[in-house]
């Protein structure tokens, strides 16, 4: 019996958005696309069921709310939705295969920090968690329900088109207003 209902692996993607500074607060809207090398397998051999789930691509849209700190750092939270594709493979004890691709919507929440490293470039680190809709796979004996959740730790770098305005270290918070785009990679887990 192999009973792994979770897996971890690498993930990567692109993100872009727009942010506005309101006093020392930050308000933003961000979209992202990612691919991941995560999935899990379950097998009971001989004579049992074998099934697995792999997460392929995902698209997300989130709102960001943050607080700018002295020295240029930004601490923020995110809330949004993610649409992801899952490959589900199911083999019954009789040897019949049922393979399907499911596109599911999930609710995502996260927390992160961002620090400018030059006038146009900043780095970020973020943790996020997404809970996807449940879906059923029909098999001769009835249905099995799959309820996928995903967590990721991201490290990213962004380019700010209008540049970030900041004073000397510790004198005033950096401004992250305007359009930006970036690339990120990280480690994730699919449950």
């Amino acid at each position: 019996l192999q009973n792994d209902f979770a897996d971890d692996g690498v993930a990567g993607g692109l993100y872009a958005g727009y942010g506005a500074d309101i006093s020392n607060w930050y308000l933003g809207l961000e979209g992202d696309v990612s691919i991941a090398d995560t999935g899990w397998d379950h097998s009971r051999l001989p004579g049992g069921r074998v099934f697995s789930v792999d997460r392929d691509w995902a698209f997300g849209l989130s709102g960001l709310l943050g607080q700018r700190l002295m020295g240029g750092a930004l601490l923020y939270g995110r809330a949004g939705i993610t649409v992801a594709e899952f490959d589900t493979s199911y083999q019954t004890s009789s040897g019949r295969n049922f393979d399907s691709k499911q596109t599911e919507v999930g609710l995502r929440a996260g927390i992160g920090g961002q620090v400018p490293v030059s006038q146009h470039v900043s780095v970020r680190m973020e943790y996020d968690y997404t809970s996807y809709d449940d879906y059923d796979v029909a098999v001769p004996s009835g249905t099995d329900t799959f309820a996928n959740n995903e967590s990721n730790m991201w490290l990213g770098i962004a380019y700010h088109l209008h540049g970030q305005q900041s004073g000397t270290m510790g004198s005033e918070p950096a401004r992250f207003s305007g359009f930006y785009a970036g690339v990120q990679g990280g480690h994730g887990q699919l449950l």
Side-chain angles (χ1 to χ4, degrees), residues 145-161:
T145 301
F146 290 78
N148 298 316
N149 299 303
E150 182 179 34
S151 59
N152 290 293
M153 186 65 173
W154 298 103
L155 182 60
I157 186 166
Y159 182 82
H160 299 264
L161 300 180

Side-chain angles (χ1 to χ4, degrees), residues 31-120:
D32 63 88
V33 59
S34 67
I35 57 170
D37 181 27
T38 54
W40 55 263
D41 299 302
H42 171 86
S43 59
R44 182 179 182 127
L45 297 172
R49 299 175 300 159
V50 177
F51 49 95
S52 64
V53 173
D54 292 302
R55 203 272 263 172
D56 293 332
W57 54 261
F59 295 102
L61 183 64
S62 300
L64 279 68
L65 176 63
Q67 173 74 51
R68 292 184 296 108
L69 306 175
M70 294 298 190
L74 170 69
L75 295 178
Y76 64 90
R78 97 168 37 246
I81 61 170
T82 301
V83 177
E85 183 178 76
F86 295 95
D87 286 330
T88 306
S89 179
Y90 199 105
Q91 180 181 353
T92 64
S93 56
S94 65
R96 291 186 61 198
N97 287 321
F98 299 87
D99 294 325
S100 66
K101 285 188 180 289
Q102 305 288 336
T103 302
E104 300 300 325
V105 176
L107 297 177
R108 177 205 241 171
I111 186 167
Q114 187 167 313
V115 177
V117 293
S118 73
Q119 183 180 2
H120 289 277

Side-chain angles (χ1 to χ4, degrees), residues 121-136:
V121 178
S122 66
V123 295
R124 70 158 55 166
M125 182 178 282
E126 179 182 323
Y127 170 81
D128 67 33
Y129 175 83
T130 307
S131 178
Y132 293 99
D133 289 341
D134 298 354
Y135 61 93
D136 294 329

